[in-house]
């Protein structure tokens, strides 16, 4: 993404004359402008990260029977919590589950979003404004409410979908089964975010100068060729942006499975890594393990999204500049 | 709105081509998929708990909208209204303050040169990649130490920080505010802050609407932070409140109708605001990917 790109030259130029004359405004003014943000950023971003690392290095030791105020002591544990997290079968299977989810759901959603954006940008589709509004609508519905809504649509007896499918002859399909429930969650996430991703890609498409298409059409390119040869390569940066945010969202999956737990027992309290961390911290009262799990997850997310970014950036650059 | 490319599509529109029919069919199927749950929600909000289970899901049966409404707003001492007010406060104040702070920081990063500027910007951008849920848990542990959990502040203040907002503000300030204008202000003897307030802030206003929207929706959508921070029901945002009702059908079966109607009412203002301000989303998203 933007992380490695140099700042646009010349934007930040304060004329030389002033820089030499007035030293205090050189540091003073920008610091004054940035200090409210930097202060809050330090307290609510950097400090929690530091504190999570600190907590993850401690553990609570119980002495005697564990009764009474002085029966527990907190001591330094080194990397013991990390060892426990990485050896925890629930954590590992949770990570595996969200990875499986991501490998299937993210490409489906992005292909769908790209297709819709290309169609909206093409000449073959009418009622563009209407479709754009409709596709974007689910993003205006908070994730928890979307999950509650879909939980009703999955529930036999309540759901018109289940009864219609039964009427058409599909039998009674169980959306909340032990294997199907993961994909039912994938459907909720796809429903929520396809339109948002479509809009990002569509914004990229709209920024392409029309003259590029004209040149291609004079050369006799079909609309599909234009889409694959010109449009998609030119919105690669938007696609990367959507992919990175989708990867982050997938690994952090929490609200949708948490909400669906009220309608099915097939989602365990360790279904996703975040659910496990939540359970450890608030149900089992083990904040140290939870902190270590949160750190592992955050580092993993960062490596994966950053790595993806670097990988694609290099390839995209070499392709576009040919 | 001025987004549709003005001439190109008209020129080559050949009505009723085969590809066009296929494309339109696909668009309508997708539109059904995106609209169906919303349609079900509207229909179901007019039903009582028994009809919800007993009747065909896609059509009205036994019009109970008004009794649902009075039940929703009176249940548990009218706590639903409190949740709505809380949500508006969290999202409205949170997003307004975040926008202001981001505008200041973005302007500072864009229009001044100083040591360590790029390092600071990189760290802030790293913040965009740090997921909110990863921060919520340690933030809870931290605030528990200073006894600030289960307060308005514990949900409100973290929302003031928007690394993405700073990023957008910087990009926009860099592209839209001419340095000559700032220089002219200085020659006229205006202070740096006055230049920001009278010149920069006004020029940046389209970007600020975008930042406000993004942050507003982010706060409205945030579930994990209030879930871990708040135990007092009176402080809940509406999402958390409806979630808590969603887990109580066993004790109070009528709640299912309140959750359905409550969900519908809570999303109506957001959806309207959101769809009518769509062009601001687009401008923000374009700025975001242009710089990529």
């Amino acid at each position: 993404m933007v992380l490695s790109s140099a700042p646009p030259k010349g934007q930040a130029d304060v004329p030389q004359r002033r820089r030499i004359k007035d030293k205090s405004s050189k540091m003073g003014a920008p610091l004054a402008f940035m200090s409210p943000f930097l202060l809050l950023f330090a307290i609510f971003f950097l400090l929690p990260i530091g504190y999570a690392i600190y907590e993850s290095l401690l553990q609570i030791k119980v002495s005697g029977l564990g009764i009474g105020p002085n029966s527990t002591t907190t001591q330094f544990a080194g990397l013991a919590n990390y060892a426990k997290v990485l050896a925890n079968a629930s954590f590992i299977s949770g990570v595996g589950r969200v990875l499986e989810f991501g490998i299937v759901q993210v490409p489906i959603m992005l292909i769908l979003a790209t297709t819709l954006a290309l169609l909206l940008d093409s000449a073959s589709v009418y009622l563009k404004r209407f479709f754009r509004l409709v596709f974007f609508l689910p993003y205006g519905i908070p994730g928890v409410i979307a999950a509650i809504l879909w939980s009703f649509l999955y529930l036999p007896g309540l759901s018109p979908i289940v009864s219609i499918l039964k009427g058409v002859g599909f039998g009674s399909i169980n959306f909340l089964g032990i294997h199907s429930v993961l994909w039912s969650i994938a459907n909720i996430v796809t429903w929520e975010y396809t339109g948002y991703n479509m809009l990002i890609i569509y914004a990229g498409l709209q920024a392409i100068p029309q003259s590029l298409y004209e040149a291609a059409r004079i050369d006799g390119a079909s609309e599909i060729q234009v889409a694959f040869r010109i449009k998609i390569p030119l919105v690669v940066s938007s696609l990367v942006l959507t992919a990175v945010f989708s990867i982050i969202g997938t690994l952090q999956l929490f609200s949708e499975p948490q909400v669906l737990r009220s309608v099915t027992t097939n989602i365990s309290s360790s279904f996703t890594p975040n659910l496990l961390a939540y359970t450890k911290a608030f149900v089992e009262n083990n904040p140290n393990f939870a902190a270590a799990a949160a750190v592992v997850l955050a580092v993993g997310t960062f490596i994966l999204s950053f790595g993806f970014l670097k990988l694609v950036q290099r390839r995209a650059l070499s392709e576009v500049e040919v | 709105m001025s987004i549709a490319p003005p001439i190109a599509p008209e020129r080559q529109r050949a009505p009723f081509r085969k590809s066009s029919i296929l494309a339109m069919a696909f668009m309508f199927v997708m539109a059904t998929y995106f609209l169906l749950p919303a349609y079900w929600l509207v229909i179901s909000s007019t039903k009582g708990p028994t009809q919800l289970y007993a009747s065909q899901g896609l059509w009205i049966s036994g019009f109970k909208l008004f009794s649902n409404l009075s039940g929703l707003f009176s249940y548990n001492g009218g706590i639903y209204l409190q949740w709505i007010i809380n949500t508006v406060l969290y999202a409205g104040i949170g997003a307004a303050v975040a926008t202001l702070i981001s505008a200041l920081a973005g302007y500072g990063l864009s229009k001044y040169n100083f040591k360590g500027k790029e390092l600071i910007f990189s760290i802030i951008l790293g913040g965009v990649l740090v997921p909110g849920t990863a921060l919520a848990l340690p933030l809870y542990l931290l605030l528990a130490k200073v006894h600030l959990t289960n307060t308005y502040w514990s949900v409100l203040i973290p929302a003031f920080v928007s690394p993405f907002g700073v990023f957008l503000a910087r990009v926009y300030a860099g592209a839209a505010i001419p340095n000559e204008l700032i220089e002219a202000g200085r020659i006229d003897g205006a202070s740096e802050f006055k230049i920001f307030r009278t010149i920069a802030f006004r020029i940046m206003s389209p970007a600020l609407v975008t930042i406000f929207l993004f942050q507003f929706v982010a706060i409205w959508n945030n579930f994990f932070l209030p879930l871990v921070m708040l135990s007092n029901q009176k402080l809940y945002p509406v999402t958390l409140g409806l979630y808590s009702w969603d887990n109580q059908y066993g004790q109070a079966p009528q709640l299912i109708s309140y959750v359905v109607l409550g969900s519908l009412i809570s999303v109506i203002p957001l959806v309207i605001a959101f769809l009518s301000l769509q062009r601001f989303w687009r401008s923000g998203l374009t700025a975001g990917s242009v710089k990529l």
Side-chain angles (χ1 to χ4, degrees), chain A residues 22-288:
Chain A
D22 189 353
K23 255 202 147 170
S24 70
S25 90
K26 191 179 154 196
M27 264 319 278
L31 258 187
F33 279 119
M34 289 188 303
S35 54
F37 178 82
L38 291 180
L39 184 73
L40 288 167
F41 186 75
I43 297 174
F44 292 101
F45 260 78
L46 304 181
L47 196 61
I49 293 171
Y51 190 70
I53 294 168
Y54 167 75
E55 277 281 330
S56 71
L57 298 174
L58 302 175
Q59 80 192 139
I60 296 166
K61 268 274 181 283
V62 181
S63 53
L65 290 170
I67 305 163
N70 296 322
S71 64
T72 60
T73 50
T74 303
Q75 44 178 248
F76 184 70
L79 298 176
N81 286 315
Y82 289 95
K84 278 185 207 159
V85 168
L86 294 174
N88 186 304
S90 310
F91 184 81
I92 299 301
S93 67
V95 169
R97 196 172 285 122
V98 291
L99 286 178
E100 186 189 351
F101 180 101
I103 289 168
V104 176
Q105 190 268 337
V106 174
I108 289 180
M109 175 173 69
L110 294 184
I111 290 170
L112 199 57
T114 310
T115 310
L116 294 176
L118 284 170
L119 283 172
L120 279 181
D121 192 58
S122 80
S124 310
V125 165
Y126 305 84
L127 298 171
K128 289 179 194 218
R129 207 176 129 78
F130 166 76
F131 285 123
R132 214 175 52 216
L133 289 175
V134 167
F135 298 161
F136 194 49
L137 175 103
Y139 187 68
I141 297 174
V144 179
I145 294 184
I148 292 177
L149 180 50
W150 276 101
S151 75
F152 293 145
L153 294 174
Y154 290 150
L155 209 60
L158 203 59
S159 166
I161 299 175
V162 174
S163 57
I164 287 172
L165 287 175
K166 199 174 178 178
V168 182
F170 277 95
S172 33
I173 288 176
N174 184 2
F175 287 109
L176 301 167
I178 197 152
H179 296 296
S180 58
V181 75
L182 184 66
W183 308 114
S184 298
I185 295 170
N187 171 56
I188 301 178
V189 176
T190 307
W191 183 79
E192 275 183 90
Y193 294 107
T194 299
Y196 172 72
N197 290 314
M198 177 205 74
L199 206 63
I200 296 181
I201 299 161
Y202 183 66
L205 287 174
Q206 295 276 297
I208 301 173
Q210 292 291 325
S211 55
L212 273 178
Y213 305 145
E214 266 147 48
R217 281 187 195 116
I218 290 169
D219 290 347
S222 71
E223 204 167 339
I224 289 176
Q225 282 174 319
V226 171
F228 277 94
R229 299 271 174 81
I230 301 179
K231 291 183 177 180
I232 293 181
L234 284 174
V235 292
V236 160
S237 61
S238 305
L239 277 168
V240 172
L241 185 78
T242 57
V244 167
F245 284 122
S246 305
I247 291 171
I248 295 175
T250 303
L251 292 177
Q252 300 293 324
L253 202 60
F254 177 81
S255 346
E256 291 84 3
Q258 174 74 7
V259 168
L260 285 192
R261 293 190 71 199
S262 69
V263 291
T264 175
T265 51
N266 286 327
I267 299 174
S268 67
S269 63
S270 58
F271 195 72
T272 70
N274 248 337
L275 254 167
L276 177 70
Y278 175 77
T279 309
K280 285 286 178 185
F282 295 98
V283 182
E284 295 175 21
N285 235 330
N286 189 349
N288 307 110

Side-chain angles (χ1 to χ4, degrees), chain A residues 1 7 11-12 34 44 48 51 123-124 129 133 136 140 142-145 157 187 206 210 237 252 254 258 262, chain B residues 1 3 8 12 20 33 53 114 117 131 133 138 145 170 179 220-221 223-224 243 246-247 266 270 274 278 292:
Chain A
M1 198 164 65
Q11 279 182 3
M34 289 188 303
F44 292 101
Y51 190 70
S124 310
R129 207 176 129 78
L133 289 175
F136 194 49
V144 179
I145 294 184
N187 171 56
Q206 295 276 297
Q210 292 291 325
S237 61
Q252 300 293 324
F254 177 81
Q258 174 74 7
S262 69
Chain B
M1 285 200 277
I3 334 90
Q12 57 129 241
S20 189
Y33 169 64
Y53 288 96
F114 53 91
K117 170 168 136 164
T133 38
K145 289 268 185 242
R170 180 195 167 152
N179 289 329
W220 195 290
N221 271 327
F223 174 61
F224 200 61
Y243 167 75
D246 192 47
N247 281 294
S266 73
L270 195 62
F274 202 87
Q278 226 196 135
L292 204 86

Side-chain angles (χ1 to χ4, degrees), chain B residues 2-178:
Chain B
S2 59
I3 334 90
I7 327 147
E10 299 298 336
R11 178 168 41 79
Q12 57 129 241
R13 216 173 238 179
F16 300 112
R17 282 183 311 177
K18 216 198 254 167
S19 68
S20 189
I21 294 169
L22 263 172
M24 287 303 283
F26 180 69
M27 295 304 258
F28 275 110
V29 169
M30 290 312 295
T32 312
Y33 169 64
F34 287 116
L35 280 178
L36 189 74
Y39 172 78
W40 181 88
L41 191 67
V42 172
I43 293 294
S44 298
S45 65
T46 67
K47 295 178 180 175
T50 42
Q51 285 112 352
L52 264 180
Y53 288 96
S55 68
Q56 219 295 76
L58 295 178
W59 198 240
I60 293 174
S61 153
F63 193 77
K64 290 274 174 55
L65 177 62
F66 295 108
S67 72
N68 284 344
L69 266 175
S70 70
L72 170 68
F73 281 97
S74 62
Y75 188 80
N76 199 356
I79 200 158
Y80 179 76
L81 189 63
Q82 178 73 50
W83 290 342
I84 293 276
I85 294 170
N86 291 343
T87 304
V88 172
L89 287 179
Y90 290 135
I93 297 175
V97 175
T99 306
L100 186 64
I101 290 174
S102 304
L104 284 166
Y107 176 77
L109 277 169
S110 165
K111 291 297 170 191
Y112 296 91
N113 268 330
F114 53 91
K115 241 191 192 160
K117 170 168 136 164
E118 286 316 309
L119 178 71
I120 291 177
F121 192 55
S122 299
I123 294 174
I124 293 173
L125 277 177
V128 178
L129 292 184
V130 176
T133 38
L135 289 173
L137 197 74
L139 197 57
Y140 169 81
L141 299 173
L142 203 59
L143 290 186
K145 289 268 185 242
V146 290
H147 305 291
L148 269 177
T149 53
N150 202 20
T151 60
Y152 268 111
W153 306 112
S154 62
V155 176
L156 186 61
I157 302 180
F160 293 167
V161 190
S162 168
F164 189 62
V166 176
F167 163 66
L168 276 186
R170 180 195 167 152
V171 172
Y172 196 86
I177 306 172

